[in-house]
Amino acid sequence: MLRFAPLLLLAWPLAEIALFIVVGRFIGVVPTLVLIVAAVLLGIIVLRQQGLGVLNRMRANVSTGTVPGEALFDGMVLAIAAVFLIIPGFMSDAIALALLVPPVRKWLYRALTRNVRVVQTTATYRTYPVNDTPTRIDAPSTIDLDDDDWQRK
């Protein structure tokens, strides 16, 4: 699949241009441009609104002590959908609209996480008893040096 990536990157814009031409011939140039601008505006609105919603859901998941995996995935998919809406083109808009449907996102989440195992760990803060008294060494507290044992620089 990875070896076909350059071909896909070349074919995608060509297919978008072909769809522009087909839709432009079918409904006209001005309605086609209005649809593209409306999709861009919708993408900006979705990106802004859903981003805040996902942050609130993640905060709620963390406060209840659950792993916010699905909320993170929803946020990522909604961000991808918003970017696809912002990119001009009808194929990218169709993919974006499909990603905006919650059952499609749930199906995609289940399909991608079917073989993933999440291990939840907790970090605990341990305090060790602090010994307030310094350890005593049975040695004199004053060190006596001869004149040739030290030098001043």
Side-chain angles (χ1 to χ4, degrees):
M1 179 66 186
L2 194 58
R3 62 182 170 183
F4 295 117
L7 185 61
L8 181 66
L9 287 174
L10 181 65
W12 188 279
L14 293 176
E16 292 283 10
I17 292 170
L19 274 173
F20 276 133
I21 293 170
V22 169
V23 171
R25 281 187 182 167
F26 189 71
I27 65 172
V29 174
V30 174
T32 303
L33 293 176
V34 168
L35 281 175
I36 295 301
V37 170
V40 169
L41 293 176
L42 180 67
I44 292 170
I45 291 169
V46 165
L47 189 59
R48 183 178 175 140
Q49 207 171 36
Q50 294 296 327
L52 294 174
V54 167
L55 285 176
N56 289 334
R57 282 187 301 222
M58 285 180 6
R59 188 176 301 131
N61 283 352
V62 169
S63 67
T64 59
T66 60
V67 178
E70 193 166 358
L72 284 171
F73 182 79
D74 270 353
M76 180 189 66
V77 170
L78 289 171
I80 291 170
V83 169
F84 274 157
L85 280 172
I86 292 170
I87 295 172
F90 291 111
M91 282 188 343
S92 60
D93 290 347
I95 292 171
L97 291 175
L99 290 176
L100 289 176
V101 177
V104 172
R105 287 196 311 264
K106 284 192 181 284
W107 173 81
L108 194 59
Y109 179 75
R110 284 191 204 115
L112 292 175
T113 60
R114 184 175 301 134
N115 297 324
V116 174
R117 181 178 215 177
V118 176
V119 178
Q120 186 175 359
T121 61
T122 58
T124 59
Y125 180 73
R126 295 183 184 163
T127 59
Y128 295 102
V130 178
N131 192 358
D132 292 334
T133 59
T135 55
R136 185 157 176 101
I137 302 174
D138 290 336
S141 60
T142 304
I143 299 173
D144 188 22
L145 296 177
D146 292 331
D147 289 335
D148 52 326
D149 289 338
W150 68 280
Q151 59 180 327
R152 183 174 291 167
K153 290 187 178 185

